[in-house]
Amino acid sequence: LENRANDNFGRWSTVFVNVKAQYKINKALTASLSYRYIMRNPAEENTEFRHRIFADLSYRIKFSKLTITPRTRIQSQFTQHYANDISERINWLWRNKITAKYSLKKWNPYIEGEIFYTLNNNRGNAINRLRMVAGCEYELSKKTTIDIFYLRDNRMNVNNQLTLNVFAAGYTFRF
């Protein structure tokens, strides 16, 4: 479960729940399949409901305390608008990310870079988003982690070009 806010945390912009099945093929290679239910603008009349399905393949390369993880993702998303019950066509994206993480006992600083590439844009397929992240995870226990990070999200080759600067915190509990 994740909540995202706008207007200096004055209103919720996005709420989503994620369910994921993951399979470790070997020590370095992992495949996963996920479903994400997303509510955009949940307290407003123009609420959108999005259904996202994505498949990931990642490969972990470890050099002592440094871990490099490239990940590729195929993502499909369907959007339904609550106010007028209009549904949009399915959008397809190919996302490629690389993460570098350094382990220092309980502290794990990291950087990430991700490219979003459209696969079914009627105006032509192109890179439409770049995302850079710098953060640090802290392990509270073997099952719980907190994460504080800065994210810069640049949207391009779209009608509404936008750059977002996000400071965020997260909490993870593993079963």
Side-chain angles (χ1 to χ4, degrees):
L1 177 65
E2 184 173 320
N3 294 317
R4 295 180 184 173
N6 282 346
D7 300 330
N8 294 320
F9 297 99
R11 67 179 173 90
W12 292 114
S13 65
T14 307
V15 178
F16 64 80
V17 177
N18 205 54
V19 178
K20 178 177 176 179
Q22 184 171 300
Y23 179 70
K24 199 168 193 170
I25 297 167
N26 60 37
K27 190 175 181 178
L29 189 62
T30 303
S32 65
L33 183 64
S34 300
Y35 167 77
R36 180 174 288 173
Y37 177 75
I38 305 164
M39 275 194 321
R40 298 279 314 232
N41 307 313
E44 299 178 18
E45 246 180 64
N46 61 342
T47 301
E48 291 179 356
F49 299 97
R50 297 179 181 187
H51 303 275
R52 182 181 294 172
I53 296 172
F54 49 97
D56 292 345
L57 190 61
S58 61
Y59 189 80
R60 207 171 121 234
I61 307 161
K62 195 157 174 74
F63 305 100
S64 184
K65 294 182 177 189
L66 177 67
T67 303
I68 307 292
T69 310
R71 186 218 63 207
T72 190
R73 170 180 288 176
I74 296 294
Q75 172 182 307
S76 174
Q77 180 170 283
F78 172 77
T79 304
Q80 186 174 12
H81 300 275
Y82 179 74
N84 52 16
D85 203 28
I86 295 174
S87 298
E88 292 180 9
R89 71 187 179 102
I90 296 173
N91 295 321
W92 287 90
L93 287 174
W94 182 26
R95 296 170 57 175
N96 289 288
K97 178 170 81 169
I98 188 158
T99 302
K101 185 184 288 187
Y102 194 79
S103 296
L104 299 166
K105 294 188 181 181
K106 292 183 174 248
W107 296 93
N108 301 301
Y110 64 91
I111 56 172
E112 297 177 344
E114 186 171 14
I115 296 171
F116 293 63
Y117 184 82
T118 57
L119 293 175
N120 68 331
N121 189 332
N122 56 9
R123 292 178 294 167
N125 298 330
I127 293 173
N128 70 350
R129 199 166 175 180
L130 296 173
R131 183 179 281 173
M132 301 299 291
V133 179
C136 190
E137 296 176 345
Y138 180 75
E139 295 176 20
L140 297 170
S141 71
K142 287 191 180 255
K143 293 187 176 190
T144 58
T145 305
I146 57 171
D147 184 12
I148 297 173
F149 60 92
Y150 165 75
L151 179 144
R152 183 171 175 93
D153 195 0
N154 296 308
R155 297 180 189 180
M156 60 199 70
N157 299 319
V158 293
N159 291 337
N160 186 16
Q161 294 191 17
L162 179 67
T163 298
L164 297 174
N165 294 290
V166 178
F167 291 96
Y171 175 81
T172 302
F173 179 78
R174 292 175 194 82
F175 293 92

